[in-house]
């Protein structure tokens, strides 16, 4: 296909419209984004967090390093960094501007916050 073909141009335009840049693996970033949105609505740090996700999310996030967490993995780390330092206006780049100070807050937040991860009871895969 030639770059001047109308089909090529149409495909490129669709990709430009539909693709959203993400920082890292999309599942933990989506969790961080949801957590940042929830904190924004709450207006403060939560005392308890309940995360209901599909089995696929649980499987895919458990062994993935979450960016800007100093190498931490898992659902709890993804949601927590979104809560501590996420900028929901950045969508899937929600944790792209986490400061060193915010990274340092993460271990204590994880240790002192009641976080429950539950498989969601749904037929949806994601």
């Amino acid at each position: 296909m030639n770059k001047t073909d109308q089909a090529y141009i149409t495909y490129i335009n669709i990709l430009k419209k539909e693709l959203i840049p993400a920082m890292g693996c999309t599942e933990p970033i989506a969790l961080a984004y949801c957590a940042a949105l929830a904190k924004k609505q709450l207006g403060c740090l939560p005392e308890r967090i309940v995360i209901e996700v599909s089995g696929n999310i649980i499987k895919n996030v458990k062994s993935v390093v979450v960016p800007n967490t100093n190498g931490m993995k898992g659902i709890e780390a993804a949601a927590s960094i979104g809560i501590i330092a996420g900028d929901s206006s950045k969508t899937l780049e929600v944790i792209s501007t986490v400061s060193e100070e915010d990274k340092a807050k993460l271990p204590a937040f994880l240790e002192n916050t009641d976080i429950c991860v539950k498989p969601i009871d749904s037929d949806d895969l994601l």
Side-chain angles (χ1 to χ4, degrees):
M1 183 178 296
N2 190 318
K3 289 184 179 183
T4 58
D5 292 346
Q6 186 57 47
Y8 179 86
I9 293 168
T10 300
Y11 292 143
I12 295 300
N13 287 334
I14 290 169
L15 290 172
K16 285 180 180 179
K17 180 180 175 188
E18 297 295 327
L19 291 179
I20 300 170
M23 180 176 190
C25 181
T26 53
E27 284 96 341
I29 297 305
L31 288 167
Y33 178 49
C34 290
L37 287 170
K39 180 197 172 199
K40 183 177 179 181
Q41 290 300 311
L42 185 60
C44 62
L45 291 177
E47 295 174 8
R48 182 169 188 263
I49 303 166
V50 177
I51 304 166
E52 294 183 346
V53 290
S54 71
N56 280 340
I57 295 288
I58 292 170
K59 173 184 68 75
N60 291 340
V61 178
K62 71 179 181 178
S63 60
V64 175
V65 172
V66 181
N68 283 329
T69 62
N70 291 329
M72 291 185 173
K73 298 177 182 179
I75 292 170
E76 295 88 345
S80 295
I81 199 63
I83 289 167
I84 292 169
D87 179 352
S88 62
S89 71
K90 295 182 180 291
T91 59
L92 296 182
E93 294 180 299
V94 61
I95 57 172
S96 63
T97 57
V98 174
S99 69
E100 291 301 320
E101 181 180 318
D102 287 330
K103 288 179 195 179
K105 295 176 186 175
L106 185 56
F109 183 83
L110 285 165
E111 185 175 322
N112 297 316
T113 306
D114 180 15
I115 303 174
C116 175
V117 178
K118 302 189 314 190
I120 196 165
D121 186 21
S122 171
D123 293 332
D124 295 333
L125 295 177
L126 295 173

